[in-house]
Amino acid sequence: MIDDLSPALILIFGGALMPLLPRNGRNIVLFGAPIAALTQLCLMTPGNHVLWELFGHQLVTVRVDSLSFIWALIFCIAACINSLYSQHLRQGAEMGRLQDASGLIYAGAGVGAVLAGDLITLFVYWELTAIASVFLIWASRTEKAIQTGIRYLIIQVGSGVLLLAGALLLLNTTGSIAFDHIGLETTGGKLIFLAFGIKCAFPLLHNWLQDSYPQATPTGTVVLSAFTTKLAVYALARGFAGEEILIWIGATMTAFPIFFAVIENDLRRVLAYSLNNQLGFMVVGVGIGTDLAINGAAAHAFCHILYKALLFMSMGAVLHRVGTMKASELGGLYKSMPLTTFFCIIGAMSISAFPMFSGFVSKSMILTAAAEEHMWVVWCVLLMASAGVMDHSGIKIPFFTFFAHDQGHKVEEAPTNMLWAMGITAFLCVAIGVYPAPLYALLPNPELAMQYNPYTSDHVVAQLQLLFFSALAFVVLFRTGLYPPEIRSTNLDTDWVYRRLIPRALTPVLNYSFSLVDRVKESIDQVTSLAGVWLGRQFSNGYLVRDAGSASMVGIAMIVFAAALLWGYL
Amino acid sequence: MSNQKKDGDEKRWLDNPKNVSKLVYLLVAACILSVLADFVWSRHGHFSFEEIPAFYAVYGFVAYCFIVLSAKQLRRILKRDENYYD
């Protein structure tokens, strides 16, 4: 009985209720729905539930197993934290309603998608994540945000269309719509891989992420950061684990965003590049595909959702208070926002994988898995990317926001609900780092995970050397003036192709086609007017120019329609 | 924005450049200790090059400088006006 209710539907139903409820009711549902979904998920027995029949195919709308459970669990936890972080919105009048509704439905769609046991259910939730989440961007209500939201929606929905096309091709080839290992052998499989790749922000398909997340509201970005991309990592782990190409795609993803992050001025965009880089570690884990590597990818997704949310929350609090996200206009905020500073530093140390913080116990699994397979090139790239993480997320984010040059912003500390949300997330980041056993017990291969010990002297000393010397390099470069200054700028990325190149290239073609259409129209006008004059002369006193009553016109029209109807039937 | 307040102008510990230098010395000390640790516990890595003393220290320092300095060059190609797309 209890297994018949999907946790996803609890969240989606709660979200749909939001616009109808008074403020107190919204507060109850906002916390009640994620907690109820989390409880329901934990109570469900492993296996396939809520089965539907569609055109002779079985839809498994809820599948609880060791791989889907950990993703659904962290999504429910993220939904709880998001509700707490955005609680102050309920004090405002109408602005919060849209974000509350879309946040809950989006979280529900994410949970539904990771629990989906077939490709059709996956497609439905896949598209719902796109449609529900775009309102978090549009809720900023700026011209820029609206345009960005449209671009985001086109790309996300496009990914869903590819998924559906791939699923149908796969059904044609294999006769099954089950969402299990898919592989790259079939055309359908390749299309689905591309669909997952878009959502996972593969290199060259990545730029929707950096384009859209910084345009959302302060709370919206926190919500966005949790679900879409990690859902894609889950989908890859389910459908394409062990595909070698993923190792190289993942390694590229860890490496290239760090260069962009160094020179980016908008700190939420820096975090978006950083998110891209962290996804790379997970994709490498999925590509290696051994039990240890899949454990590493799952553990890293779990930890990453928490510390990335923590970083986005601290930046959201700064944006909420100061009103800007530009590094060139921030600095010295530790004086007015000491607690936010503290939480941001915990997030920064977690993402940089300092021992005793969450990133350390998950990332080291992926690096060990790469080393065990003797992939020294990939391993070296991951290690370099780790030094890059130390720069853009470990140092740049906290340093240029809260320290560096004091820009004289005298603001209040973040609202209490934001501080609680950051505090709880920071606690989880440290708790997982200090005592990873409960997390390891939840991983897809728990027996193997429980044997894994991240705290060997080799690991700890190696990581500390890497991080301390990266920090030393920062000090040297900063003090010698070699570190690139934070300046107001836009850096070109692949979005330049569809925001500038294609529109510019198409403009002459479109102009020419419009002028061609105009000329054709003119010619037709001339011909018809000439014909009119000629006809007028021919029938100047004839039947065609005689006045007719409206009743007879209606009569003629009725006869014509009746004739058309009859013609249609016959 | 709307939440600017006036207090908080007093001097803080970090406002003194000498104290910032103290933090830098602390970092240097941490760096030295982390390298010395390599001579206390000999490392057994998966790759032979991991066993070179201070391998991670050199790798971290060089990788960091490479990333930052090459990104600086990247800026020459990619940097546009802030309102480029508007």
Side-chain angles (χ1 to χ4, degrees):
Chain A
M1 176 64 201
I2 189 107
D3 289 335
D4 289 340
L5 180 62
S6 165
L9 292 182
I10 298 176
L11 288 165
I12 293 171
F13 184 68
L17 272 182
M18 274 295 163
L20 311 171
L21 293 173
R23 187 185 297 169
N24 287 341
R26 278 158 69 203
N27 259 333
I28 293 168
V29 173
L30 198 77
F31 290 105
I35 291 170
L38 183 64
T39 316
Q40 169 65 2
L41 177 73
C42 294
L43 290 176
M44 288 185 105
T45 46
N48 294 344
H49 309 293
V50 203
L51 309 176
W52 288 4
E53 200 65 32
L54 182 78
F55 303 127
H57 293 282
Q58 193 174 56
L59 303 186
V60 181
T61 60
V62 180
R63 167 177 53 190
V64 182
D65 64 8
S66 58
L67 188 62
S68 64
F69 180 77
I70 185 167
W71 256 274
L73 180 72
I74 187 62
F75 280 5
C76 287
I77 294 173
C80 293
I81 293 170
N82 291 339
S83 291
L84 181 56
Y85 184 73
S86 59
Q87 196 263 337
H88 66 281
L89 290 177
R90 240 121 286 103
Q91 289 149 13
E94 291 305 311
M95 285 293 279
R97 281 179 194 267
L98 181 67
Q99 291 192 64
D100 289 343
S102 114
L104 280 182
I105 295 173
Y106 177 38
V111 173
V114 296
L115 292 177
D118 66 88
L119 291 168
I120 301 299
T121 308
L122 178 71
F123 162 76
V124 171
Y125 283 121
W126 194 267
E127 290 293 35
L128 189 58
T129 58
I131 296 162
S133 59
V134 74
F135 291 99
L136 297 167
I137 301 166
W138 281 339
S140 289
R141 301 186 187 204
T142 60
E143 183 61 33
K144 245 183 183 173
I146 289 166
Q147 287 178 359
T148 305
I150 291 169
R151 285 196 294 274
Y152 171 84
L153 197 58
I154 291 171
I155 293 169
Q156 296 296 316
V157 171
S159 150
V161 172
L162 282 173
L163 170 60
L164 184 64
L168 294 177
L169 282 176
L170 208 63
L171 173 65
N172 202 23
T173 324
T174 63
S176 162
I177 52 162
F179 180 28
D180 293 312
H181 186 79
I182 298 168
L184 283 168
E185 294 77 27
T186 57
T187 315
K190 288 188 183 97
L191 278 182
I192 295 174
F193 185 75
L194 188 61
F196 293 174
I198 292 173
K199 249 191 169 57
C200 195
F202 279 1
L204 303 180
L205 305 173
H206 66 282
N207 213 190
W208 62 266
L209 179 70
Q210 294 82 9
D211 184 23
S212 58
Y213 286 13
Q215 293 298 332
T217 60
T219 51
T221 313
V222 178
V223 183
L224 282 169
S225 77
F227 303 108
T228 298
T229 49
K230 261 62 71 184
L231 162 61
V233 171
Y234 164 80
L236 287 169
R238 176 71 74 180
F240 299 95
E243 291 291 347
E244 200 191 337
I245 190 173
L246 282 175
I247 301 173
W248 299 105
I249 292 175
T252 314
M253 277 168 84
T254 60
F256 88 89
I258 52 185
F259 297 95
F260 285 84
V262 174
I263 51 174
E264 180 55 55
N265 192 33
D266 182 324
L267 291 174
R268 287 198 298 175
R269 188 163 285 133
V270 172
L271 285 179
Y273 278 114
S274 154
L275 203 166
N276 217 170
N277 146 285
Q278 293 293 304
L279 291 171
F281 284 95
M282 296 169 219
V283 171
V284 168
V286 172
I288 295 171
T290 57
D291 285 350
L292 177 64
I294 296 291
N295 272 351
H300 205 50
F302 193 98
C303 297
H304 163 87
I305 286 178
L306 292 171
Y307 58 64
K308 184 56 75 179
L310 181 55
L311 288 166
F312 270 122
M313 283 195 273
S314 65
M315 289 301 107
V318 169
L319 179 62
H320 181 71
R321 286 302 192 213
V322 185
T324 181
M325 233 2 9
K326 297 193 172 92
S328 54
E329 292 166 22
L330 290 169
L333 278 171
Y334 79 95
K335 293 176 185 173
S336 359
M337 304 179 82
L339 287 171
T340 307
T341 310
F342 177 69
F343 295 137
C344 180
I345 290 174
I346 289 184
M349 291 181 84
S350 300
I351 195 172
S352 309
F354 267 93
M356 310 309 271
F357 292 86
S358 61
F360 180 74
V361 302
S362 57
K363 192 157 79 176
S364 63
M365 262 187 193
I366 298 172
L367 278 149
T368 306
E372 279 186 357
E373 300 301 306
H374 311 291
M375 299 171 176
W376 70 273
V377 178
V378 174
W379 185 85
C380 284
V381 172
L382 296 188
L383 202 61
M384 184 193 81
S386 302
V389 176
M390 179 63 182
D391 172 60
H392 58 68
S393 296
I395 295 174
K396 180 168 171 162
I397 293 286
F399 182 74
F400 287 103
T401 314
F402 299 106
F403 303 97
H405 307 292
D406 191 343
Q407 300 281 354
H409 297 292
K410 302 286 177 259
V411 295
E412 282 178 54
E413 181 55 278
T416 317
N417 65 300
M418 284 188 170
L419 290 175
W420 272 103
M422 287 190 272
I424 291 169
T425 316
F427 170 78
L428 288 173
C429 287
V430 178
I432 292 170
V434 173
Y435 186 56
L439 171 65
Y440 286 177
L442 293 170
L443 294 180
N445 306 293
E447 296 84 16
L448 183 74
M450 295 307 277
Q451 291 165 14
Y452 181 78
N453 177 19
Y455 287 107
T456 62
S457 59
D458 280 359
H459 269 156
V460 174
V461 172
Q463 187 66 7
L464 285 178
Q465 270 188 20
L466 186 82
L467 295 175
F468 286 156
F469 275 83
S470 298
L472 187 69
F474 169 75
V475 172
V476 171
L477 293 175
F478 192 73
R479 291 213 154 184
T480 51
L482 286 170
Y483 196 87
E486 300 305 314
I487 42 178
R488 302 170 70 120
S489 59
T490 298
N491 293 314
L492 303 185
D493 200 339
T494 52
D495 62 345
W496 178 79
V497 175
Y498 53 83
R499 292 177 74 183
R500 200 35 88 84
L501 180 69
I502 294 176
R504 285 273 164 99
L506 281 183
T507 307
V509 179
L510 285 176
N511 284 345
Y512 180 72
S513 347
F514 287 142
S515 68
L516 209 65
V517 169
D518 282 346
R519 264 189 274 167
V520 170
K521 239 169 81 183
E522 269 173 34
S523 317
I524 291 172
D525 281 352
Q526 276 177 354
V527 171
T528 47
S529 66
L530 281 174
V533 170
W534 182 77
L535 274 173
R537 279 196 200 131
Q538 296 302 313
F539 296 99
S540 55
N541 293 312
Y543 178 76
L544 283 177
V545 290
R546 211 170 61 192
D547 285 343
S550 55
S552 61
M553 294 304 286
V554 170
I556 292 169
M558 274 179 67
I559 290 165
V560 171
F561 284 133
L565 199 64
L566 271 175
W567 179 255
Y569 262 112
L570 294 171
Chain B
M1 251 181 349
S2 55
N3 301 298
Q4 309 267 347
K5 64 174 187 181
K6 285 204 171 135
D7 54 330
D9 283 340
E10 76 273 24
K11 280 274 172 193
R12 300 293 182 97
W13 188 79
L14 271 179
D15 286 335
N16 185 347
K18 276 186 188 165
N19 291 332
V20 178
S21 295
K22 277 182 198 163
L23 286 180
V24 173
Y25 295 140
L26 195 69
L27 175 65
V28 172
C31 286
I32 294 170
L33 278 178
S34 72
V35 171
L36 286 179
D38 264 358
F39 296 96
V40 180
W41 296 287
S42 58
R43 202 185 345 262
H44 307 289
H46 286 90
F47 306 107
S48 53
F49 52 78
E50 274 186 90
E51 286 164 22
I52 304 167
F55 166 76
Y56 283 90
V58 175
Y59 197 96
F61 193 89
V62 172
Y64 191 97
C65 292
F66 167 72
I67 291 164
V68 171
L69 296 177
S70 51
K72 208 173 159 182
Q73 299 306 312
L74 196 67
R75 195 176 242 177
R76 291 184 181 200
I77 308 167
L78 299 178
K79 188 172 112 31
R80 295 290 183 279
D81 183 67
E82 195 176 29
N83 303 318
Y84 177 73
Y85 286 118
D86 297 339

